[in-house]
Amino acid sequence: QDPRWHRKGDYFVTVCPKAGAAAVLIHQLSKASSQQPFGKAPKGGDVQCACFHPNKPFLFVATPQHVRVYHLIKQAMVQRLLSGCRWISSSHPLMSIRPATT
């Protein structure tokens, strides 16, 4: 899948759905390093896609039925969103996160 970039440009996240705990990797270009944010595979099926929140330290991770919101600094899940549809993909509106305009 295509990598999803953080707005500051130094980080990007990649997804390999069948990789279990290593399904989501966060890469940092300036340090040429990668980190695995989860010790075990997220429940609810294979990871479909992941993306960063544009303004806050959150990572959104979508499985077929849920979108989980992880706080990157606290390293904990803060919310589980239900989509109301049968299947979530990278083109689903929940994964098109954009900052609110005022």
Side-chain angles (χ1 to χ4, degrees), residues 20-26 35-42 47 50 59 61 70:
V24 178
L25 292 174
I26 298 174
Q35 53 186 312
Q36 180 180 318
F38 310 116
K40 57 184 179 179
V47 174
L59 178 68
V61 178
Y70 294 94

Side-chain angles (χ1 to χ4, degrees), residues 5-99:
W5 289 90
H6 188 270
R7 70 179 178 95
K8 293 185 179 178
D10 191 30
Y11 294 92
F12 65 97
V13 62
T14 57
V15 173
C16 182
K18 302 288 184 189
V24 178
L25 292 174
I26 298 174
H27 311 276
Q28 186 176 7
L29 290 176
S30 63
K31 293 185 179 180
S33 65
S34 299
Q35 53 186 312
Q36 180 180 318
F38 310 116
K40 57 184 179 179
K43 295 179 183 176
D46 295 334
V47 174
Q48 301 297 310
C49 56
C51 65
F52 294 103
H53 187 280
N55 300 323
K56 298 182 180 179
F58 295 140
L59 178 68
F60 295 90
V61 178
T63 60
Q65 282 88 28
H66 302 99
V67 175
R68 288 179 169 82
V69 182
Y70 294 94
H71 196 288
L72 294 171
I73 296 172
K74 295 179 182 177
Q75 297 182 351
M77 184 176 73
V78 293
Q79 194 171 18
R80 186 179 71 160
L81 306 172
L82 300 174
S83 69
C85 65
R86 295 181 127 185
W87 192 264
I88 296 173
S89 69
S90 60
S91 61
H92 191 277
L94 281 174
M95 296 312 291
S96 298
I97 307 297
R98 298 190 195 330

